[in-house]
Amino acid sequence: AVRAESSGYAAGVPLLGDVERTAGHSDSAVVAYGRALHIDPGHYFAAYWRANLLASQSRLAEAESTYLDLARAKPDFYALYVQMGYFYFGQDRLDDAAAAWQRSRALAPRDALTLSNLGVIHYRRNEWPAAREMFLEAFRIKPECESCNNLATTLYFDGKYDESARYFQFA
């Protein structure tokens, strides 16, 4: 039998993880994605799915380690830091989430999702002007309903009801 890890078949290892995950075999998928990362430590999707599966099993230290290993392999990949931020945010680790999203912003300063996520951090801390600044920047880059609603909400909490209403109407 040919081993998937041999040089010509290395690309198949993450696909095995996908098959196992889709079939509902989380433990087997975690193993397959781990093998894929052993072959290619910078394989984003293998790391992403492995970390998510581990987190869903409350194996948070292992999930975090997966993200940190990927960060060492691909320190300039902004999407990784977006996902790390979600991981930390889901655990109410706001400082860690903010740091991950700040790194994402440094790498991709015009990514509207990252800006909105940073706005959410400020929002959770009741820092309305800072949240509004992030949401406004995100809205200017990508004017869509979510960023518009976020911006309108901060204006509302600051008592700027007419301006808030205009943004809600636009959304």
Side-chain angles (χ1 to χ4, degrees), residues 17 19 27 52 71 77 81 94 100 104 123 127 129 135 141 163 167 171:
V19 169
D27 291 336
N52 276 305
F77 187 48
Y81 299 99
L94 296 186
S104 175
Y123 180 93
E127 300 166 351
F135 293 145
I141 292 167
E163 193 175 357
Y167 277 100

Side-chain angles (χ1 to χ4, degrees), residues 14-15 26 31 40 55 61 69 77 80 104 110 116 132 139 161 164:
L15 297 176
S26 296
V31 170
D40 178 6
D69 288 345
F77 187 48
L80 156 66
S104 175
R110 294 191 45 80
S116 288
R132 184 170 45 256
F139 179 74
Y161 303 118
S164 173

Side-chain angles (χ1 to χ4, degrees), residues 25-39:
H25 306 139
S26 296
D27 291 336
S28 298
V30 166
V31 170
Y33 289 132
R35 273 190 272 149
L37 292 168
H38 179 74
I39 296 167

Side-chain angles (χ1 to χ4, degrees), residues 60-93:
L60 300 178
E62 291 173 85
E64 182 175 19
S65 179
T66 300
Y67 281 125
L68 294 174
D69 288 345
L70 183 59
R72 281 187 286 280
K74 285 191 160 184
D76 296 333
F77 187 48
Y78 88 96
L80 156 66
Y81 299 99
V82 173
Q83 291 306 317
M84 283 178 73
Y86 288 134
F87 171 75
Y88 292 131
F89 190 82
Q91 298 172 57
D92 206 30
R93 294 170 56 182

Side-chain angles (χ1 to χ4, degrees), residues 5-170:
E5 291 87 347
S6 67
S7 62
Y9 295 93
V13 179
L15 297 176
L16 177 58
D18 292 345
V19 169
E20 295 288 359
R21 177 180 48 82
T22 303
H25 306 139
S26 296
D27 291 336
S28 298
V30 166
V31 170
Y33 289 132
R35 273 190 272 149
L37 292 168
H38 179 74
I39 296 167
D40 178 6
H43 195 289
Y44 173 73
F45 289 108
Y48 168 80
W49 282 112
R50 183 175 192 274
N52 276 305
L53 289 168
L54 289 166
S56 73
Q57 297 172 351
S58 298
R59 296 164 61 184
L60 300 178
E62 291 173 85
E64 182 175 19
S65 179
T66 300
Y67 281 125
L68 294 174
D69 288 345
L70 183 59
R72 281 187 286 280
K74 285 191 160 184
D76 296 333
F77 187 48
Y78 88 96
L80 156 66
Y81 299 99
V82 173
Q83 291 306 317
M84 283 178 73
Y86 288 134
F87 171 75
Y88 292 131
F89 190 82
Q91 298 172 57
D92 206 30
R93 294 170 56 182
L94 296 186
D95 290 340
D96 292 327
W101 288 331
Q102 285 291 358
R103 177 71 176 140
S104 175
R105 184 180 186 198
L107 295 168
R110 294 191 45 80
D111 180 56
L113 179 59
T114 296
L115 295 166
S116 288
N117 290 341
L118 286 167
V120 170
I121 294 290
H122 292 297
Y123 180 93
R124 287 280 301 271
R125 294 177 174 160
N126 297 323
E127 300 166 351
W128 307 125
R132 184 170 45 256
E133 180 183 326
M134 292 291 104
F135 293 145
L136 181 58
E137 193 173 343
F139 179 74
R140 286 179 177 151
I141 292 167
K142 190 174 183 181
E144 60 185 8
C145 186
E146 184 178 349
S147 60
C148 194
N149 278 333
N150 289 339
L151 181 55
T153 300
T154 62
L155 290 164
Y156 177 84
F157 286 132
D158 256 356
K160 300 177 181 181
Y161 303 118
D162 290 339
E163 193 175 357
S164 173
R166 283 194 301 275
Y167 277 100
F168 276 129
Q169 287 171 344
F170 182 83

